[in-house]
DNA sequence: GCGACAG
DNA sequence: ATCTTGTCGC
């Protein structure tokens, strides 16, 4: 099973969504949402401190825990090698993979037919293009998973640019936000 | 000091 | 991330 996590915002609240999909069929097995006050502003490199609380709250509500979580953020591809995906994996003590829609650091470099993100002589992640001629997603190690395995499972879970786990979590968070918004009017 | 900068 | 209409590509 593969899980996905993402957070939406409304007012001063964070709305997190966690989903669990079947690795083979990509069918949604379970999902959960949780909301909590945002206590930290967004500062590049410190995203995890802002999104970890709501994310953990949503994950805690899942009855079945997936074998690995895809996170909508960087993992090892971070200045301190500790992006949100790493932070979440350490907090849960479970495997995680970072799948970001844009780059934080690292120089995209062509190596053996793939585009690695290099920083200070180290391969910290990989730019993965699901569909030719489309913007890539930046995959990096989160916790307990190698970059090679991370890229492999990301491909297995992809139908469009953003892999299903993260996409489903993002959509659920957005829909939940909309409902809360209308109820507030 | 200047530019870059996940979500 | 959020605001926000039409428009482009698959
Ligand atoms: Mg997000």
């Amino acid at each position: 099973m593969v899980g996905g996590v993402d957070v939406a915002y409304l007012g001063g609240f964070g709305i997190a969504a966690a989903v669990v999909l079947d690795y083979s069929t990509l069918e949604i097995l379970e999902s959960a949402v949780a909301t909590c006050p945002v206590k930290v502003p967004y500062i590049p490199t410190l995203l995890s401190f802002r999104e970890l609380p709501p994310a953990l709250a949503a994950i805690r509500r899942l009855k079945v825990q997936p074998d690995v979580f895809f996170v909508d953020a960087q993992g090892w591809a971070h200045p301190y090698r500790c992006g949100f995906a790493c932070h979440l994996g350490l907090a849960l003590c479970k495997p995680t993979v970072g799948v970001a829609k844009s780059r934080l650091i690292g120089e995209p470099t062509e190596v053996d037919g793939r585009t690695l993100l290099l920083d200070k002589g180290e391969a910290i992640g990989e730019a993965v293009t699901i569909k030719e001629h489309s913007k890539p997603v930046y995959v990096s190690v989160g916790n307990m998973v190698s970059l090679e395995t991370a890229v492999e499972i990301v491909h297995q879970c992809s139908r469009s640019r953003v892999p299903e786990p993260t996409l489903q979590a993002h959509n659920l968070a957005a829909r939940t936000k909309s409902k809360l918004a209308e109820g507030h009017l």
Side-chain angles (χ1 to χ4, degrees):
Chain A
M1 298 184 280
V2 197
V5 192
D6 192 24
V7 182
Y9 297 89
L10 177 62
F13 291 81
I15 304 164
V19 301
V20 179
L21 318 190
D22 181 289
Y23 184 66
S24 299
T25 67
L26 298 185
E27 164 192 16
I28 297 179
L29 302 177
E30 186 190 352
S31 61
V33 296
T35 175
C36 74
V38 181
K39 300 179 178 179
V40 182
Y42 169 68
I43 298 174
T45 75
L46 300 181
L47 174 67
S48 71
F49 293 95
R50 177 179 168 82
E51 304 203 328
L52 190 62
L56 288 176
I59 292 174
R60 217 171 19 178
R61 294 185 171 178
L62 290 174
K63 295 179 182 178
V64 294
Q65 292 298 314
D67 299 285
V68 57
F69 273 109
F70 277 15
V71 185
D72 180 40
Q74 308 291 345
W76 194 256
H78 179 280
Y80 310 146
R81 303 293 186 264
C82 193
F84 182 28
C86 297
H87 200 153
L88 180 65
L90 290 168
L92 298 171
C93 201
K94 286 182 57 59
T96 58
V97 171
V99 184
K101 298 181 293 301
S102 63
R103 187 192 63 80
L104 177 59
I105 64 169
E107 288 307 312
T109 309
E110 307 298 320
V111 178
D112 300 328
R114 39 182 210 157
T115 306
L116 299 177
L117 281 181
L118 268 42
D119 181 57
K120 299 175 180 176
E122 174 185 20
I124 60 175
E126 181 173 337
V128 178
T129 301
I130 299 302
K131 307 181 67 180
E132 290 301 315
H133 277 327
S134 67
K135 185 178 179 181
V137 286
Y138 301 84
V139 180
S140 62
V141 168
N143 197 218
M144 305 174 188
V145 183
S146 69
L147 178 59
E148 290 64 38
T149 298
V151 171
E152 183 184 323
I153 61 180
V154 161
H155 266 109
Q156 159 67 41
C157 297
S158 297
R159 285 179 171 160
S160 51
R161 189 173 97 84
V162 176
E164 291 302 301
T166 314
L167 183 60
Q168 293 300 331
H170 182 281
N171 290 334
L172 176 57
R175 278 154 18 198
T176 301
K177 170 188 171 180
S178 295
K179 291 186 178 181
L180 293 179
E182 63 178 71
H184 190 302
L185 295 179

